């Protein structure tokens, strides 16, 4: 359906010729825009119905008081299935610390939350296939687990801002979703509107970048610099390239689709996606409100090394 829509607009209404660079870029843009926003509406609505029963306070309650390994597993799982974005990092960080949850477990949640989410997973399955979606989720879980462990071993508590330890957060008001089907439906519709309002421009930018990449970047260049499985420098280069960019996991999927379509290596593409989603400069600046620069440098370094190792591993497997 989406392919037919793109054909109708690009080749029918606009009269462009199939195979031209501009036509290929516009076809990619129209098809992915329609496909991704259709998937977004459905997935956000369904998850909104579920989120009517979930809140940051419940997330803390689930994790608090559990054995360290179980707390970390719960934190990663909850980070993957709860739609808390980077703007929630500061209050969640403070809430976890106030609840007495170990800092390493908190970092595992903060790594998993922006990098793995149900919307991105559904889009990955629908656009790139379940195999790549499974690889991405598995790699994200490993990075969140060992990244949190590394931050724990490095004793980063000493670099948490003093005011964070002193704050006593009260429980937030219960969700305004209301009881019953109608209340949850209203909440889910409001979620669709709110989340789309926040992310639509980043999704469109991501699709536009992916379309430009798909239409105008020569496949020979991609296979030469990003496609060689044995090119060890391509993966850390992709990680460094992703740091200054800002997009959520949803917005970067069209770019990854275009990279893979042009012949980029799977591991290099995964490393780039993770870097953009979990190690972007804006998220680092947000976290600076609660932890000092030495902890931020360690956090960025641990993730950069982890993403590089993931990229190299999957390139070797490929």
């Amino acid at each position: 359906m989406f392919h037919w829509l793109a054909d109708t607009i690009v080749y029918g209404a606009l009269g462009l010729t199939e195979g031209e660079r501009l036509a290929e870029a516009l076809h990619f843009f129209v098809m992915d825009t329609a496909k991704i926003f259709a998937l977004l509406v459905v997935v956000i609505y369904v998850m909104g119905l579920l989120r009517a029963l979930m809140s940051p306070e419940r997330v803390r309650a689930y994790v608090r008081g559990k054995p360290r390994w179980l707390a970390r597993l719960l934190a990663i799982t909850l980070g993957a299935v709860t739609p808390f974005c980077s703007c929630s990092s500061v209050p969640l960080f403070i809430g976890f610390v106030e609840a007495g949850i170990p800092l390493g477990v908190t970092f595992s949640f903060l790594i998993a939350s922006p990098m793995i989410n149900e919307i991105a997973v559904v889009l990955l399955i629908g656009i790139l296939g379940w195999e790549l979606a499974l690889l991405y989720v598995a790699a994200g879980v490993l990075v969140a687990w060992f990244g949190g462990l590394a931050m724990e071993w490095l004793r980063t508590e000493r670099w948490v801002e003093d005011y964070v330890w002193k704050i006593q957060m009260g429980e937030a008001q219960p969700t305004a979703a209301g009881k019953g089907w109608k209340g949850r439906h209203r909440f889910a519709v409001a979620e669709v509107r709110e989340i789309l309002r926040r992310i639509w421009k980043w999704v469109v930018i991501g699709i536009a970048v992916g379309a430009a990449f798909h239409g105008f970047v020569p496949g020979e260049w991609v296979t030469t610099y990003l496609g060689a499985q044995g090119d060890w420098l391509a993966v850390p280069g992709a990680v460094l390239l992703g740091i200054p960019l800002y997009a959520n996991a949803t917005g970067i999927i069209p770019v990854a689709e275009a990279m893979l379509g042009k012949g980029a290596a799977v591991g290099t593409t995964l490393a780039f996606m993770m870097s953009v989603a979990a190690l972007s400069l804006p998220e680092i600046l947000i976290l600076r409100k609660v932890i000092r620069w030495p902890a931020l440098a360690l956090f960025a370094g641990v993730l950069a090394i982890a993403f590089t190792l993931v990229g190299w591993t999957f390139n070797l497997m490929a």
Side-chain angles (χ1 to χ4, degrees):
M1 178 178 65
F2 303 113
H3 196 281
W4 170 84
L5 177 65
D7 284 347
T8 301
I9 293 175
V10 175
Y11 304 134
L14 298 179
L16 298 179
T17 303
E18 187 173 356
E20 293 179 348
R21 289 186 176 182
L22 179 60
E24 292 296 314
L26 285 176
H27 191 278
F28 182 99
F29 182 83
V30 173
M31 184 174 67
D32 268 40
T33 299
K35 182 192 302 183
I36 287 175
F37 277 100
L39 285 170
L40 282 176
V41 170
V42 173
V43 175
I44 294 172
Y45 178 82
V46 172
M47 296 309 300
L49 294 177
L50 299 177
R51 194 186 172 198
L53 303 173
M54 182 62 66
S55 69
E57 287 68 41
R58 288 193 177 188
V59 172
R60 287 192 290 158
Y62 282 130
V63 178
R64 180 166 30 197
K66 300 292 190 302
R68 189 69 58 91
W69 69 269
L70 182 57
R72 192 180 311 281
L73 180 61
L74 286 172
I76 294 172
T77 303
L78 291 167
V81 301
T82 48
F84 303 131
C85 61
S86 61
C87 58
S88 305
S89 297
V90 172
L92 280 170
F93 191 102
I94 293 173
F96 273 48
V97 171
E98 183 269 334
I101 296 170
L103 199 62
V105 174
T106 302
F107 274 114
S108 290
F109 178 89
L110 291 177
I111 295 169
S113 188
M115 189 166 55
I116 313 170
N117 65 69
E118 70 287 343
I119 299 173
V121 170
V122 171
L123 290 180
L124 276 170
I125 294 172
I127 294 175
L128 301 179
W130 66 267
E131 296 94 341
L132 188 65
L134 183 61
L135 288 176
Y136 182 81
V137 171
V141 169
L142 287 174
V143 169
W145 184 281
F146 289 103
L149 275 178
M151 296 301 289
E152 187 176 311
W153 292 335
L154 293 168
R155 297 186 298 112
T156 49
E157 292 89 350
R158 50 188 160 161
W159 290 307
V160 175
E161 293 288 356
D162 293 336
Y163 79 89
V164 175
W165 301 111
K166 299 174 183 177
I167 289 177
Q168 295 294 317
M169 291 183 60
E171 294 295 315
Q173 295 296 319
T175 178
K179 296 181 179 180
W181 165 253
K182 289 185 178 180
R184 292 175 187 172
H185 168 72
R186 287 194 297 269
F187 182 81
V189 171
E191 283 284 277
V192 172
R193 292 173 179 168
E194 175 61 20
I195 293 178
L196 286 181
R197 184 186 65 81
R198 288 205 316 260
I199 72 172
W200 73 267
K201 57 184 177 182
W202 303 113
V203 175
V204 171
I205 290 172
I207 296 172
V209 172
F213 195 96
H214 177 80
F216 294 99
V217 176
E220 297 79 11
W221 184 91
V222 175
T223 54
T224 299
Y225 294 101
L226 298 177
Q229 309 291 348
D231 187 354
W232 295 90
L233 293 179
V235 174
V239 172
L240 291 175
L241 179 63
I243 292 176
L245 303 178
Y246 179 67
N248 54 26
T250 304
I252 201 60
I253 288 173
V255 183
E257 178 188 8
M259 290 173 64
L260 290 170
K262 285 288 186 176
V266 171
T268 306
T269 304
L270 287 175
F272 176 73
M273 290 177 64
M274 291 180 170
S275 177
V276 173
L279 194 54
S280 65
L281 188 59
E283 293 202 31
I284 291 175
L285 295 178
I286 289 172
L287 282 176
R288 174 60 188 90
K289 297 179 182 178
V290 291
I291 57 178
R292 301 188 183 104
W293 286 112
L296 275 176
L298 286 173
F299 181 69
V302 166
L303 288 188
I305 292 171
F307 298 155
T308 302
L309 291 175
V310 166
W312 283 341
T313 300
F314 283 114
N315 279 350
L316 286 174
M317 289 171 60

